[in-house]
Amino acid sequence: MSISDNIRQRMIQGSWIRRMFEEGNMLKQKLGADKVFDLSIGNPVVEPPRELHQELQRLAKNPLPGMHRYMENAGYADTRSAVAEQLSQEMGVKFSHQNVVMTCGAAGALNVVLKSLLNPGEEVIVFAPYFLEYGNYIDNHNGITRVVPTDETFIPRLDALESTITARTKAVIMNSPNNPTGVVYNQDLIDKLGRVLGAKEKQLGTHIYLISDEAYRKLIYDGIKYPPVFQCHHQSIVASSHSKDLALPGERIGYIAVNPDCFEHDDLMEAIIFCNRILGFVNAPALMQHLVRKLQDVTVSLADYQKKRDFLYGNLVKMGYSLVKPQGAFYMFPSRPPRTRSSL
Amino acid sequence: MSISDNIRQRMIQGSWIRRMFEEGNMLKQKLGADKVFDLSIGNPVVEPPRELHQELQRLAKNPLPGMHRYMENAGYADTRSAVAEQLSQEMGVKFSHQNVVMTCGAAGALNVVLKSLLNPGEEVIVFAPYFLEYGNYIDNHNGITRVVPTDETFIPRLDALESTITARTKAVIMNSPNNPTGVVYNQDLIDKLGRVLGAKEKQLGTHIYLISDEAYRKLIYDGIKYPPVFQCHHQSIVASSHSKDLALPGERIGYIAVNPDCFEHDDLMEAIIFCNRILGFVNAPALMQHLVRKLQDVTVSLADYQKKRDFLYGNLVKMGYSLVKPQGAFYMFPSRPPRTRSSL
C-alpha cells in the first residue's frame, strides 16, 4: 500500500460537495460559464468591495520594503490590533492584538485550535446538520466527533447536548450563521448554551471550549443583531474568516480570537501560535494581512445577498419545498417536496 | 489541563530559532532596524524581483472577475501547467499539471505529503543536521522520526541509512541545498541514494518515498548543476516553494510535484489534493497563484547572495571558524573556533 489507510477510507466516504463543484467547472468549460449555475460550494459570486482593489493598487504601486517576508507566526501586530478593535466594537468585550492570531482562513483557524486543544481520543461535539469538514478536522488531530441533533428549525437540542457531554468532551463547535441551514442562533440560545457548558464544567471538573465558527458573522439579514459568545462562556474561541464578508475565499485569510477571560489564556495563545507554525501554515498570507488591516469595517453588499435569498426562498416555497427561512449566510436546506399525484 | 499535552511538551522542547527572530524584532524596535542584523531564520533580506510587482500592479489595476474565489483544491490548472513546464525543463522528466499541486509554501507541502502517506507509527528518516520543523511535521501525522547521521562534510552516510530502514520506513526526507549547512548533494550521491532505496524496497516488499525538500533549489552557486531526484527513484516527491527564489516567504506559495512514474500515482495525487483541503489549507493563496504563473523563469539575484556568502565565509575562516563552504541556500553551519591561549 502506498497512501495512508485513514486517508484512503476518508476519500471514499465523501468528497461529494467538492466533486459537484469540479463537475460544475467542467460543465462551464463545455457549455459556457453563463449556462451553468453552480450552487455547490460556498463560493461567493460577488466581487470583493472596491476598497480592496484600491488598497491593492496602492500597495502594488508603492510596495513597502519587506512586505512579503516572514513576520511573527501570529501575524503582523497592527493587523491583529485592527481585528481586535473591530471585535471590541462588535462583541462588547475589550480585545487587544494579544487575543488575536491571523490564520489561513477559518479552515486553518479551526485546525489550529483543534491541534492546540486535543489529546488523542478527546471528544468534540457538533450539531447536525453541520459543515462536513468538521469531522475531518477533528480526526486530523486524533479527536472523536460526537453529533448532537437539532430541532425542526435547526436549533441545537440542549437536552441532547447535556447528555452527550462526558469527561472526555474537550470542545463544542457551533456555527452561526449556519452552513448549511442559514439559521442564526439568538441571544437566548447562546445564554442557555453557556449555562449548560458552565454547569457541566463544574460537575465534571473539566474545561469545555466553545469554538464558534463565525465565517458568516457579517452576512446576516432582516436587521438581526448577532449575539456574541464571549459573555456566555469563559472558554470561548472564535474562528473567523474574510472569505465571505470580503468575498476572498481563495486568498485564505482569517483569524482566531480567544476570550481574554479564558482559563490559561496565555498558554492557549502560545499553543495556537505554535500550532499555526508547525501545521505548515507558518503565518497567514502577508499581502492579505496588509489588505484586511484597512478593511475591518468593510463588507460586501448585504442587500444583494438578501435579495437573492428572498427570491430563492419565495420561489422554493411556491414550488412546494419546505424550508426554514435563512437569516444569514448564503445557504438553504430544504426538504424534498412531497410527491404530487401526477408525479406518482 | 487546557491545551494538548503533546503541544505543551513540544513547546517546551524548542522554539529557540523563532524566539531569536522575535527577540530580534523587539531589538529592532528598540535600537533601530539598521542596528540589528538578524541572521536567525530563513527570511530573505532581498526584495522580490521587480517583475513580481509589475505583475501585481497589472492585476490590481485590471482584476479578473472571480480571481479571489475558491478554485480546485489542487490550484489553478494553468498555474500548475506553468510549474510543470518549468519542472520539465529543469528535471529532464515530462510533467503535466496532473503531477503538480499548488500549496501554502514548502511547509504546507510537506505536511500535506506526510498526511497523505503516513499510517500511525510509520517511520520517516531525516539526515542530521536537519530543519528542526521536520520532527514536528512528522509528529503531526502520527509518524516517528528516525535520524541518520552525515559525514564531516554533511553528506548522508548511506551505510547508516541502510541499517536504519525497516519495514516501517515510509519515507526519507532529503533537503538539498541544505538548511542549515548550505551543502548541495551531487549526482553521484543521488544515484547511490536511489539504489539504496530501490534495493531496500525489493528486499522488504514495501514502497519507500523519497521526499525532496527543494525550497532552495534555485539558490545555488559556483555554476553547479542541480541533480534531479526523479530519475533516481520512482517513489519520489518534490516539495518546493517560491519563498526563497522569489523572496516571498510571508505569502505562503509553493507546490508538490509527484514523479509521473510513481506507484499508484493517481491515488497519491488524489490523496494529496484531499489532504491539502482537509488540513485547512483548502488551496494555495489565489492571488499568489496568479502571480507565480508568470514568474516561473524569474529568480532573485544569485550574484548578490553569492557575494554575501563569499564575504561571510572568507571572514569566518580568517577568524578561525571551521566550516564547509555552502554551495547553495543562505546558511552556514560553522564549528565554534578552538580557544586560543589568550582566551583561556
Side-chain angles (χ1 to χ4, degrees):
Chain A
M1 296 289 272
S2 53
I3 65 175
S4 152
D5 298 332
N6 175 284
I7 294 302
R8 198 180 289 271
Q9 197 52 43
R10 294 199 157 258
M11 288 199 301
I12 293 166
Q13 282 167 0
S15 302
W16 293 107
I17 295 175
R18 273 282 170 173
R19 274 184 211 169
M20 284 192 286
F21 171 63
E22 284 166 21
E23 182 73 19
N25 278 348
M26 288 203 296
L27 286 172
K28 278 182 191 172
Q29 278 171 24
K30 216 166 123 182
L31 306 171
D34 58 327
K35 302 281 192 305
V36 179
F37 298 91
D38 179 1
L39 307 176
S40 61
I41 67 168
N43 212 1
V45 291
V46 300
E47 292 299 323
R50 76 190 150 70
E51 290 91 333
L52 183 115
H53 285 127
Q54 284 168 352
E55 185 61 16
L56 185 59
Q57 273 188 54
R58 207 183 58 78
L59 275 171
K61 232 179 183 167
N62 305 296
L64 310 166
M67 78 174 187
H68 304 289
R69 290 185 201 152
Y70 289 126
M71 80 299 304
E72 293 83 347
N73 297 121
Y76 293 110
D78 51 3
T79 302
R80 295 160 70 200
S81 291
V83 170
E85 197 175 314
Q86 173 69 21
L87 282 174
S88 302
Q89 282 174 31
E90 285 185 51
M91 302 288 183
V93 173
K94 182 75 196 143
F95 286 89
S96 83
H97 75 280
Q98 288 177 311
N99 315 118
V100 174
V101 173
M102 301 307 297
T103 63
C104 291
L110 289 166
N111 272 283
V112 166
V113 168
L114 291 167
K115 174 81 176 167
S116 304
L117 290 177
L118 291 176
N119 290 307
E122 287 184 334
E123 298 176 357
V124 180
I125 292 173
V126 297
F127 302 113
Y130 59 92
F131 179 44
L132 288 175
E133 291 293 76
Y134 292 160
N136 290 321
Y137 299 168
I138 294 163
D139 182 78
N140 284 341
H141 311 295
N142 304 312
I144 311 288
T145 302
R146 294 280 175 233
V147 182
V148 162
T150 55
D151 67 17
E152 67 284 355
T153 61
F154 303 122
I155 297 300
R157 284 189 40 203
L158 296 182
D159 54 337
L161 172 64
E162 233 176 319
S163 62
T164 306
I165 292 175
T166 71
R168 302 194 66 73
T169 305
K170 193 59 163 282
V172 174
I173 300 180
M174 61 167 263
N175 172 219
S176 163
N178 185 264
N179 172 1
T181 67
V183 162
V184 178
Y185 297 171
N186 66 21
Q187 184 70 57
D188 182 53
L189 178 70
I190 299 292
D191 290 343
K192 282 182 182 149
L193 180 60
R195 280 200 291 276
V196 168
L197 296 181
K200 277 288 172 186
E201 282 186 329
K202 216 165 167 184
Q203 181 196 327
L204 297 166
T206 57
H207 293 290
I208 304 170
Y209 291 82
L210 178 60
I211 304 170
S212 181
D213 174 357
E214 304 190 354
Y216 303 95
R217 187 176 73 238
K218 289 187 174 179
L219 298 193
I220 195 166
Y221 313 123
D222 310 323
I224 289 174
K225 206 178 136 37
Y226 189 78
V229 297
F230 293 109
Q231 284 94 338
C232 90
H233 189 58
H234 278 178
Q235 271 61 259
S236 48
I237 303 170
V238 163
S240 195
S241 158
H242 293 297
S243 292
K244 276 62 188 203
D245 59 32
L246 295 175
L248 289 171
E251 303 297 358
R252 316 310 304 135
I253 181 75
Y255 59 84
I256 294 164
V258 172
N259 193 334
D261 292 332
C262 188
F263 173 73
E264 293 191 333
H265 171 278
D266 294 355
D267 283 20
L268 178 57
M269 283 302 290
E270 202 186 332
I272 284 172
I273 295 167
F274 181 76
C275 290
N276 202 35
R277 187 188 104 203
I278 67 167
L279 284 175
F281 299 108
V282 184
N283 54 250
L287 184 55
M288 289 299 139
Q289 290 195 55
H290 293 298
L291 290 174
V292 303
R293 185 189 298 148
K294 303 283 183 76
L295 299 170
Q296 285 300 305
D297 56 353
V298 176
T299 305
V300 293
S301 162
L302 292 184
D304 286 359
Y305 273 123
Q306 185 161 335
K307 218 170 109 182
K308 283 180 210 285
R309 180 207 58 175
D310 292 342
F311 175 82
L312 206 56
Y313 175 79
N315 282 291
L316 284 173
V317 168
K318 256 192 236 163
M319 289 159 75
Y321 284 86
S322 155
L323 74 163
V324 174
K325 188 173 187 177
Q327 299 181 301
F330 42 50
Y331 301 100
M332 292 196 182
F333 203 71
S335 302
R336 200 188 57 182
R339 293 187 183 194
T340 58
R341 226 166 258 271
S342 63
S343 72
L344 286 174
Chain B
M1 294 289 273
S2 54
I3 64 175
S4 152
D5 298 331
N6 175 285
I7 294 303
R8 199 180 288 271
Q9 197 53 43
R10 294 199 157 257
M11 288 199 300
I12 294 166
Q13 282 167 2
S15 302
W16 293 107
I17 295 175
R18 272 283 168 172
R19 275 185 211 170
M20 283 192 287
F21 171 62
E22 284 167 22
E23 182 73 19
N25 277 349
M26 288 203 295
L27 285 173
K28 277 182 192 172
Q29 277 173 25
K30 215 166 121 182
L31 305 173
D34 58 328
K35 302 281 191 306
V36 179
F37 298 90
D38 180 1
L39 307 176
S40 60
I41 66 169
N43 212 1
V45 290
V46 300
E47 292 298 323
R50 75 190 152 70
E51 290 92 332
L52 183 115
H53 285 127
Q54 285 168 351
E55 185 61 17
L56 184 60
Q57 273 189 53
R58 206 182 59 78
L59 275 170
K61 231 177 183 166
N62 305 297
L64 310 166
M67 78 174 187
H68 305 288
R69 289 185 202 153
Y70 290 127
M71 79 299 304
E72 293 83 345
N73 297 122
Y76 294 111
D78 50 4
T79 302
R80 295 161 69 199
S81 292
V83 170
E85 198 175 314
Q86 174 69 21
L87 281 174
S88 302
Q89 282 174 30
E90 284 184 53
M91 302 288 184
V93 174
K94 182 75 196 142
F95 285 90
S96 84
H97 76 279
Q98 289 177 311
N99 316 117
V100 173
V101 173
M102 301 308 295
T103 63
C104 292
L110 289 167
N111 272 283
V112 166
V113 168
L114 292 167
K115 174 82 175 167
S116 304
L117 291 176
L118 291 177
N119 290 307
E122 287 184 334
E123 298 177 356
V124 180
I125 292 173
V126 298
F127 302 113
Y130 59 92
F131 180 44
L132 288 175
E133 291 293 78
Y134 293 160
N136 290 322
Y137 299 167
I138 294 163
D139 183 77
N140 283 341
H141 311 295
N142 305 312
I144 311 287
T145 303
R146 295 281 176 231
V147 182
V148 161
T150 55
D151 66 17
E152 67 284 355
T153 61
F154 303 123
I155 296 301
R157 284 189 39 201
L158 296 182
D159 54 338
L161 172 65
E162 233 176 319
S163 61
T164 305
I165 292 174
T166 70
R168 300 195 68 72
T169 305
K170 193 58 163 284
V172 174
I173 301 180
M174 61 167 263
N175 173 218
S176 164
N178 185 264
N179 172 0
T181 66
V183 162
V184 178
Y185 298 171
N186 66 21
Q187 185 70 58
D188 182 52
L189 178 69
I190 300 293
D191 289 344
K192 282 181 182 151
L193 179 60
R195 280 200 292 276
V196 168
L197 295 180
K200 278 287 172 184
E201 281 186 329
K202 217 167 167 181
Q203 181 197 325
L204 297 166
T206 58
H207 293 290
I208 304 169
Y209 291 81
L210 179 60
I211 304 171
S212 181
D213 174 357
E214 304 189 356
Y216 303 95
R217 187 177 74 238
K218 289 186 174 181
L219 298 194
I220 195 167
Y221 313 122
D222 309 322
I224 289 173
K225 207 178 135 37
Y226 189 77
V229 297
F230 293 108
Q231 284 93 340
C232 89
H233 188 59
H234 277 179
Q235 271 61 260
S236 48
I237 303 171
V238 163
S240 194
S241 159
H242 293 297
S243 291
K244 276 64 187 200
D245 57 34
L246 295 176
L248 288 171
E251 303 296 358
R252 316 311 305 135
I253 181 74
Y255 60 83
I256 294 163
V258 172
N259 193 334
D261 292 332
C262 189
F263 173 73
E264 294 190 333
H265 171 277
D266 295 354
D267 284 19
L268 178 56
M269 283 302 289
E270 202 187 330
I272 284 172
I273 294 166
F274 180 77
C275 290
N276 202 35
R277 188 189 102 202
I278 67 166
L279 284 175
F281 299 108
V282 183
N283 54 249
L287 185 55
M288 288 299 139
Q289 289 194 56
H290 293 298
L291 290 174
V292 303
R293 184 189 297 146
K294 303 283 183 74
L295 299 171
Q296 286 300 307
D297 56 353
V298 175
T299 305
V300 292
S301 162
L302 293 184
D304 286 358
Y305 273 124
Q306 185 160 337
K307 217 170 109 183
K308 283 179 209 285
R309 179 207 57 175
D310 291 342
F311 175 80
L312 206 56
Y313 175 78
N315 282 292
L316 284 173
V317 168
K318 255 192 234 162
M319 288 159 74
Y321 284 86
S322 156
L323 75 164
V324 174
K325 189 173 187 177
Q327 298 182 302
F330 42 50
Y331 301 100
M332 293 196 181
F333 203 70
S335 302
R336 198 187 58 181
R339 294 187 183 194
T340 57
R341 225 168 260 270
S342 63
S343 72
L344 286 175

